[in-house]
Amino acid sequence: MTKYFIKRFLQLVVVAFIISVLVFLLVHLLPGDPSVTILGPNDTAHNRAILFKQLGLNKPLLQQYTTWLNAVFHGNLGQSYLNHESVTHIVATGAPIDIELIVISQVIAFAVAIPLALITSRRPNRAFDNVSTTTTFGLLALPPFVIAPIMVAVFAVSLHWFPATGYVPLTQDPATNLHDMILPSLAITAGSIAVYYRLLRSDLISTLQEDFITMARSKGLSNRRIMLRHAFRPSTFSLLAAAGVNIGALLAGTFIVEYLFALSGLGYSLVQAVQQRDYLVVQGISLVVAIAYVVLQFIIDFLFTVVDPRVVRE
Amino acid sequence: MIGRRGPQNGKRALEFPDVGESDEPLLVVENLHTSFRTGRGTVHAVDGVSLTVAAGTTLGIVGESGSGKTVLARSIMGLLPVRDVIKSGTVHFAGHDLTAMEPDQLREIWGAELSMIFQDPMTALNPVKRIGIQITESLRLHLDMDRKEADATAVELLRSVGIPSPEQRVRWYPFQLSGGMRQRVMIAIALACAPRLIMADEPTTGLDVTVQAQILDLLGKLQRERHMAVILVTHDLGVVADRADEIVVMYAGRVVERAPTRTLFAETHMPYTRALMESIPRLADPSGTRLQAIPGRPPDLIHPPKGCRFAPRCAFAQDKCRESDPPLRTAGSPDHLFACWFPLVHGTSTAPSASASASAAGDTTIDPGPVVQSP
């Protein structure tokens, strides 16, 4: 068990290192260069040379990398070429928004998908199952940029239940913060519900055909206990794998929703930085998001071992 | 020691008179039919089966794959799904009609009074649960044990089925055990609440031959110690030959011969039973002897053949066999039932075309006896 996690952790370190190199090179591979961003396209070659020297861009690539990495280890991701805002600060203010969106949307998704799948899988292809399955299929076809404006029109503009835009940090005013975050979270959650429900439902249906379920019935266990204690856990493999991919995609992938609700999360800041060729901001956010993704997969791998003890053996 | 407990706190609604003491058999199955609705038509998997099991005895149910023996076992238990299944007939267990019971009442009997051992220990144990919990959950449910008591009992149960160092093994997962060990765990689960009847559905089919004998001997030993009845479902007559008190031979969803074990082997009347016996490999045979396989395949149970269902594969089949269905009847001893128009006598057919050789054997007459039950 311990050996397995040490191995996994070492893999994580190696992957993180490779990511740092790729993220660093990314900026050098993008067309254009920072001097254009800072000085505009019409400045002289002389001024550009001076700027390069100031930014350390004239030094060998390896040295640039080690300097940058050293700063990163000290919590300094550099600063924006445009407004000199610290990238660490951008990440520190943006990340909580992303995390909150993901946590709320995923909690709702699991809270809806799991009970629904547990109920419908016992009697597949009956009326209730057909309604749920069709409805979630519909949800799957509704991307956030369709759902969000509809929800704003209904719940914000017509009913005035929620604000259309606005953001107060959680630490400042938790109640207002949650109130503000519900609509954007719901816009993201629809697709997740559909995916989680359908995967869990079909895995549960096949698990319920297994001998060990008949065995559990022959012990006289209640249906409730059989569903929760015998069928659920062995049916969560696809669900977990899908959650890993899905949540990974939501890391900085919620920019459309952030844009629509005027939230300056990581995704929104990243897209903006790419458009403005704000290299260090792109570099910093990409690094943080990529590391978060790797850590997320590490957690998912850990959860696999919780769900199925056989995983460690392989 | 694991003893039976009486009803506690009035929790158990059903009363179980100790029928082991009375003359009443523990299990009485009468005219059981089970059919499945499928896209192709209705499959008559169990077609009018009757049998009885006395307390503490062993009944062997034997037949090829597809003869309906597993469906029969599950029908008796009441374990089949409700949807697309048509059932009729009655199953009386310890004085209760299982077929008339609500699911809640059945759950009180399952695992407590009537438990099941499954064919494949690889798939019948939950792969992600420790074996200890798989044993203790029925103890806690049916016997109201607390966790500590149930844990201690689980260790004792594992010890009684011959698992070494059971104190450690209770915390193991099924994948950490060999096939034979898993089957022992399954027996421990089935035994947990000291049931009166264990339904063992091909309990040793997935195991190699040496382990097979160990498991069957273990089951026999525990059965004698605890005075349990066992229904041993198998495709292998050799398995039940020296373990069952009575044997039921099934073909195409029906009982074709039923007799006390000794009688069945001494005076086989049904050609199908004879064919099954000939397909048992014998150590005394010279090496290279070909096994006598039964030609053809079991019939389609959606459209079973007219007449005797075994006729298309029977070496002695006559026109009459292909025309009309032989009823289950007795001849000579009243506890020997068979369904055949031309039963074998001392291994020789009484069919007209075989009479020449039968006369040579010196015995051609047989009393057909009264018809006991028409299908």
Side-chain angles (χ1 to χ4, degrees), chain B residues 204-219:
Chain B
T204 58
T205 304
L207 306 173
D208 62 62
V209 182
T210 46
V211 182
Q212 259 189 35
Q214 286 172 15
I215 295 291
L216 290 168
D217 290 346
L218 170 72
L219 194 59

Side-chain angles (χ1 to χ4, degrees), chain A residues 24-40:
Chain A
F24 174 77
L25 289 176
L26 182 76
V27 172
H28 291 265
L29 294 172
L30 281 176
D33 76 59
S35 64
V36 181
T37 312
I38 296 167
L39 300 172

